[in-house]
Amino acid sequence: MLEVRDLRKAFAGFVAVGGVSLTVETRQIAAVIGPNGAGKSTLFNLITGHIMPDGGRVLLDGRDITGAAPHRICRMGIGRSFQRTNIFARLSVFENVQAAFLAHRGRGANFWARSEDFYRDETAGLLASIGLDAHADAIAGTLSYGNQKQLELGIALASDPEVLLLDEPTAGMSATETRETMQLLRRIAGERGLTLLFTEHDMEVVFTIAAKIAVLHQGHLLAEGTPAEMRSDPEVRRVYLGEH
Amino acid sequence: MAPSFLFSQFMGGFTTAMFLFLIASGLSLVFGVMRVINFAHGSFYMLGAYLAWQGVQWLHPRAEAFWLAALFAALGVALLGGIVERLFFRHLYGREELYQLLFTYALVLILGDAAKFLWGTGQLSVSSPPVLAGSVEIFGTAQPLYNLFIMAVGPAIALAGWFVLNRTGVGRLVRAASYDREMLDALGANVGSIYTGMFVFSSFLAGLSGALVTPIQSIVPGMDVLIIVQAFIVVVIGGMGSFWGTFWGSVIYGQVLSFGILIFPGFSLFSVFALMAVILIVRPWGLFGRPI
Amino acid sequence: MTGRRRATLASRIPWTLIVFLAAATVPWIGSRYDTFLASQIVIDALFAVSLNLLLGTTGLVSFGHVAYFGVGAYVCGILMKTYEVPFVLAFPAAGLGAALFALVSGYFCVRLQKLYFAMLTLAFSQIVWAIAYKWNDVTGGDQGLPEIPYPDLDWMSAIPGFGDLRIGDRFYLLTLVLVALSIAALRIITRSPFGRMLTTIRDNPERAAFIGLNVRAYQLAAFVVAGAFAGLAGALYGLFSRGVFADYVFWSKSAEVIIMTILGGMDYFWGPPVGALALVWLNQQITAYTEYWPFVLGAILLVLLFAFTGGIVGGIVAGFRFARYRLARRDA
């Protein structure tokens, strides 16, 4: 369970996130929506330790992880993808995922063995499950955009996270790619018992897959609830769904 | 210690400081806008010195020879800076900083040898312009007129620079460029010509300071790599990219060097480097720079 | 199985062993001057490979790597000359001393990024230079430490075929073995999981932190390892040139080793040694014709920066790929 309590962050007087509280239950799929500049990415960066909050708490299964360094937060079981694709561009796809296994399982300090001999089966298995096995030997930077997004997911999954934060996992994808990616996400979340929190622009995607939706507006939580509740919330309809 | 002795140490430090400011201000401006340490700034300085010497040879008997030669040197180096920026440097803006650093280092190598080829390896010197020959007595110490002149030129350039940066349209663009390149692009400003302009101006300052140093220092190969280290220290102390920072950085450098000799004889050089290290560790953005 | 390189005929040939053995024959087949050049190449190769652990593997642009080379040279030189410590102790002490200094200075450097990192490393190297230049009692100041004794190599006479070798030749062979062992160690480190972690940091430090890496700690570890091996190279260089001087630590030397590294190709483990070989050879060829070697070096650097960023090894690899591609097309 991921809990955010009254999280606040201002940049030079501009309030990016102004007292947001949010709870995502274990194994729940939740979405954060809101217009550009609503504070979604900042919220993610606050949760994953990339930005120090001005106030508030982040709790993972009741444990306070507020403001811990990103690498510690990753080790505590939060995985994430970034809005701008974030892979190791000059390594092969296989090496990308293998590196994540090595790091997560504490082999990074091993300076005498050959890295290619580690976690071969795990890596191959994970690549197969995200549908990248055909590209295993490709240099990651040369992959198509959609494949890079898949790879990023693979890297995050190699850290065996409990909670997965995805910042616009389908940004820049075609309709077909978007649908496939969301199906993949839902399947993997089910198989691994993941708690999923994601941001997304595509409302159709959000309303089909999320069990819970939180609406951010100008750094504040406007509303949260089930998709059905959000659809009927007059405030949400007015501010975000663009109805008057 | 006698007050007059301390005063003359202070004046010595201040002359050094103002010289360094002339040189380091150009280095700092280029860093602030383009985010690169231009190692070749020292080479431009050296070329300024050689060109000034050349100019004086040509104009020798005339009373104003030195001033014309200094202007010639500064303009010549500015032109060279413009050519270098347009032909080569701009192709490296998108590349990693390693390539930019190495490019400026390649210039150091090439210009250093070019100067040796053109002017030989011997020491050259230029005498003070007649107006500024001699010295005046202040607090019982003899102060060369030429040093006093330099002490006036430094702050004058600083004030002019401050005025241009803070009170003119060009200055606003330059400051914007140092904050956020992309924003400036989005505003439709011609970033390319701002960069060229900065590089040319910075080269002009380097050339000018090289010319102005000739009456008090002889011109020798190797003066390029020695000066760049000092200018680098000044810029680091004051804050890379900060104009006033560079000014105060120079003042601090001059005084630490001047009084450091009294406190640790033989170790004044070390005390400046140590100061730089401490500042880089405690405030990597320098005393007057913006936090990074 | 994916991810494992296919073994080709070329990769089955023990290239490194062949190069090592070929290098070992220099004292017998070459002139005294050849041995001199070979010593320089071998030492520079280790220095450049140690730098490339930062530059090519971790993506850290150190503009002050010569500081650790210098610390190693001074530690070994001072121990052997002033305190008459035997080489077997002075040599590892040089690596240790450089590693310690790298630990202290690196701790501060890795807190900064990109250009600021480069500048702080440069600053530290200039501090070392200032100390070397001014601390007369220990470093000899601007006079340096001349006449450092060679290590005792009389034991080599016992080996058949070594009896007639000059002391310079013997020292070259010792250097070759020590450098080969050091480069082998760096090779193992680069290929290890630790080395893999460094490459993730090079490619994307933000992502590397989010696979659970303490990026700064890894960068610092790489910095210390690179510093230690640079120190070993420095120790050998001081003995090879029979003295340690403040000039060794001047900032332009850091630029030279970077040029060597990218001339060979910083994306390849064997790039830096190739660069060392090429640069020493070029220097020797060109200085025979002209005193303007820096000019030529600057011109080479321009070509590398604008047209040939992969360096020599990068060029060879690209050439092979092109040839294979052409062959494949002809066959098809």
Side-chain angles (χ1 to χ4, degrees):
Chain A
M1 187 174 70
L2 178 70
E3 267 181 284
V4 169
R5 288 189 197 156
D6 194 28
L7 210 53
R8 278 172 284 120
K9 180 70 191 181
F11 297 107
F14 169 77
V15 177
V17 171
V20 170
S21 299
L22 182 69
T23 303
V24 187
E25 301 294 338
T26 305
R27 288 169 163 262
Q28 192 174 45
I29 298 185
V32 180
I33 61 172
N36 275 335
K40 293 170 295 187
S41 290
T42 309
L43 178 64
F44 272 27
N45 285 333
L46 288 169
I47 295 173
T48 55
H50 286 89
I51 302 176
M52 275 297 274
D54 296 337
R57 296 252 151 278
V58 181
L59 304 171
L60 179 66
D61 295 329
R63 206 165 144 207
D64 192 339
I65 61 167
T66 321
H71 70 270
R72 291 196 186 284
I73 289 188
C74 176
R75 292 202 169 165
M76 289 174 201
I78 295 186
R80 81 170 282 185
S81 76
F82 295 78
Q83 197 164 28
R84 259 194 0 221
T85 322
N86 238 330
I87 53 170
F88 305 117
R90 285 163 63 188
L91 304 185
S92 76
V93 168
F94 194 88
E95 288 166 343
N96 263 267
V97 172
Q98 194 180 34
F101 275 116
L102 287 167
H104 182 69
R105 304 200 177 171
R107 299 299 182 121
N110 179 325
F111 60 85
W112 56 89
R114 283 169 72 109
S115 76
E116 22 182 286
D117 298 338
F118 287 85
Y119 307 120
R120 303 193 59 81
D121 299 339
E122 289 88 336
T123 304
L126 181 51
L127 284 177
S129 84
I130 56 169
L132 272 181
D133 36 352
H135 298 286
D137 287 331
I139 297 300
T142 64
L143 289 181
S144 74
Y145 183 75
N147 284 343
Q148 290 193 355
K149 281 276 180 189
Q150 273 170 288
L151 175 56
E152 205 186 353
L153 179 66
I155 296 170
L157 289 175
S159 306
D160 199 16
E162 214 176 298
V163 178
L164 193 56
L165 270 58
L166 303 171
D167 202 346
E168 308 226 353
T170 67
M173 288 188 183
S174 70
T176 326
E177 281 178 321
T178 302
R179 209 163 39 244
E180 285 170 5
T181 305
M182 293 320 288
Q183 275 165 3
L184 174 72
L185 276 176
R186 189 192 277 181
R187 176 170 61 78
I188 286 172
E191 282 169 11
R192 296 175 163 246
L194 290 177
T195 306
L196 205 62
L197 178 64
F198 67 102
T199 67
E200 184 53 63
H201 269 118
D202 188 333
M203 284 308 115
E204 201 193 312
V205 167
V206 171
F207 281 91
T208 12
I209 161 166
K212 175 177 190 166
I213 297 174
V215 183
L216 268 188
H217 182 61
Q218 294 178 353
H220 294 273
L221 197 63
L222 195 70
E224 65 174 311
T226 63
E229 285 166 356
M230 289 304 99
R231 266 204 194 95
S232 54
D233 189 309
E235 186 76 347
V236 173
R237 295 177 79 105
R238 190 179 61 76
V239 171
Y240 189 55
L241 300 177
E243 294 176 19
H244 300 278
Chain B
M1 266 172 269
S4 68
F5 174 69
L6 291 178
F7 179 73
S8 94
Q9 283 303 112
F10 168 79
M11 290 298 268
F14 200 66
T15 316
T16 310
M18 288 305 101
F19 249 122
L20 275 175
F21 171 70
L22 275 178
I23 300 152
S25 56
L27 187 68
S28 171
L29 277 174
V30 163
F31 179 85
V33 178
M34 297 165 162
R35 300 282 139 185
V36 65
I37 288 286
N38 178 15
F39 287 124
H41 199 71
S43 311
F44 289 157
Y45 159 87
M46 177 185 69
L47 281 184
Y50 276 115
L51 284 177
W53 179 85
Q54 193 64 59
V56 168
Q57 302 309 303
W58 286 333
L59 301 164
H60 184 50
R62 300 162 73 173
E64 68 279 17
F66 177 77
W67 305 110
L68 288 173
L71 186 67
F72 162 71
L75 290 176
V77 174
L79 177 70
L80 178 71
I83 292 170
V84 162
E85 200 275 345
R86 284 265 154 163
L87 282 187
F88 297 103
F89 205 38
R90 62 174 40 208
H91 301 293
L92 294 174
Y93 290 148
R95 304 269 294 276
E96 290 157 53
E97 62 269 23
L98 171 66
Y99 294 111
Q100 302 178 357
L101 287 172
L102 284 180
F103 172 69
T104 67
Y105 188 73
L107 288 181
V108 172
L109 295 172
I110 290 172
L111 295 176
D113 263 7
K116 269 185 209 163
F117 180 75
L118 291 169
W119 290 287
T121 53
Q123 291 197 5
L124 302 177
S125 58
V126 169
S127 46
S128 290
V131 202
L132 296 176
S135 55
V136 287
E137 202 181 291
I138 309 176
F139 294 123
T141 62
Q143 296 296 333
L145 268 176
Y146 193 81
N147 288 8
L148 295 175
F149 163 71
I150 292 299
M151 280 184 237
V153 171
I157 297 263
L159 276 175
W162 176 83
F163 182 81
V164 171
L165 279 177
N166 290 281
R167 289 286 182 274
T168 66
V170 175
R172 259 193 298 283
L173 284 178
V174 170
R175 277 185 301 146
S178 69
Y179 275 97
D180 191 345
R181 234 179 257 193
E182 281 151 32
M183 186 185 79
L184 203 65
D185 253 336
L187 287 174
N190 188 341
V191 182
S193 46
I194 290 178
Y195 282 14
T196 312
M198 286 317 300
F199 209 79
V200 167
F201 181 61
S202 145
S203 313
F204 178 88
L205 285 177
L208 182 68
S209 41
L212 293 181
V213 86
T214 52
I216 44 180
Q217 264 178 34
S218 51
I219 312 166
V220 283
M223 66 192 283
D224 49 350
V225 286
L226 285 177
I227 200 72
I228 189 67
V229 172
Q230 297 179 30
F232 170 68
I233 298 171
V234 162
V235 169
V236 166
I237 293 175
M240 298 195 226
S242 157
F243 201 70
W244 280 114
T246 309
F247 183 82
W248 291 114
S250 316
V251 172
I252 293 168
Y253 182 109
Q255 297 309 328
V256 168
L257 197 65
S258 199
F259 286 95
I261 287 183
L262 304 180
I263 303 163
F264 324 93
F267 268 81
S268 61
L269 191 63
F270 176 71
S271 58
V272 204
F273 283 118
L275 177 67
M276 169 177 67
V278 168
I279 284 176
L280 271 169
I281 287 163
V282 182
R283 285 175 68 94
W285 51 90
L287 292 178
F288 297 85
R290 286 188 308 274
I292 44 175
Chain C
M1 211 41 156
T2 51
R4 228 189 266 264
R5 298 251 158 77
R6 263 166 274 124
T8 56
L9 182 63
S11 69
R12 288 214 191 90
I13 301 172
W15 290 112
T16 46
L17 189 66
I18 292 174
V19 171
F20 174 79
L21 290 175
T25 60
V26 170
W28 287 279
I29 60 169
S31 66
R32 195 178 184 143
Y33 186 61
D34 290 332
T35 308
F36 173 84
L37 284 181
S39 302
Q40 206 175 333
I41 291 168
V42 166
I43 295 168
D44 279 348
L46 175 58
F47 186 26
V49 171
S50 79
L51 173 72
N52 208 34
L53 185 69
L54 301 177
L55 210 59
T57 308
T58 320
L60 288 171
V61 179
S62 170
F63 230 91
H65 202 50
V66 81
Y68 312 98
F69 183 85
V71 168
Y74 274 107
V75 167
C76 183
I78 291 167
L79 285 177
M80 288 183 70
K81 186 183 179 191
T82 316
Y83 299 99
E84 293 172 8
V85 174
F87 178 74
V88 271
L89 295 177
F91 182 67
L96 206 62
L100 267 177
F101 182 61
L103 181 67
V104 175
S105 55
Y107 172 80
F108 298 107
C109 295
V110 299
R111 298 192 306 174
L112 305 181
Q113 287 173 356
K114 302 212 155 211
L115 192 54
Y116 288 90
F117 173 86
M119 293 303 108
L120 188 53
T121 53
L122 172 57
F124 273 115
S125 83
Q126 279 301 104
I127 290 170
V128 173
W129 175 78
I131 294 173
Y133 193 67
K134 287 290 179 185
W135 198 7
N136 291 354
D137 298 344
V138 176
T139 65
D142 55 359
Q143 298 301 306
L145 283 179
E147 286 157 33
I148 294 174
Y150 266 133
D152 177 18
L153 295 174
D154 290 343
W155 53 269
M156 277 195 191
S157 314
I159 307 171
F162 282 54
D164 303 334
L165 292 180
R166 289 178 294 263
I167 179 78
D169 292 333
R170 289 180 186 183
F171 184 69
Y172 164 71
L173 290 172
L174 176 71
T175 299
L176 183 65
V177 169
L178 291 172
V179 166
L181 290 173
S182 301
I183 291 183
L186 279 162
R187 177 71 174 152
I188 289 170
I189 291 170
T190 308
R191 282 187 154 185
S192 72
F194 173 72
R196 169 62 68 230
M197 298 301 101
L198 299 183
T199 60
T200 68
I201 290 168
R202 171 198 68 200
D203 276 12
N204 192 336
E206 189 188 31
R207 179 79 250 187
F210 228 80
I211 59 175
L213 294 184
N214 184 346
V215 171
R216 280 181 189 170
Y218 276 89
Q219 287 174 329
L220 181 57
F223 201 80
V224 170
V225 172
F229 283 101
L232 295 181
L236 292 172
Y237 191 74
L239 293 172
F240 158 68
S241 42
R242 317 300 318 277
V244 184
F245 307 94
D247 272 3
Y248 291 5
V249 207
F250 201 59
W251 67 271
S252 48
K253 297 282 175 198
S254 287
E256 275 166 33
V257 66
I258 295 177
I259 296 173
M260 210 176 272
T261 306
I262 70 161
L263 174 64
M266 67 173 185
D267 295 337
Y268 304 90
F269 183 83
W270 296 110
V274 171
L277 173 72
L279 207 67
V280 172
W281 180 79
L282 273 172
N283 174 291
Q284 192 252 335
Q285 293 297 311
I286 288 166
T287 46
Y289 291 101
T290 168
E291 58 183 306
Y292 296 111
W293 160 248
F295 187 92
V296 176
L297 182 59
I300 293 173
L301 187 49
L302 286 187
V303 173
L304 279 174
L305 294 177
F306 286 97
F308 208 52
T309 39
I312 295 170
V313 175
I316 293 172
V317 168
F320 269 115
R321 276 202 196 123
F322 182 70
R324 199 181 299 159
Y325 167 78
R326 287 294 292 266
L327 283 174
R329 278 192 35 157
R330 208 175 56 187
D331 292 348

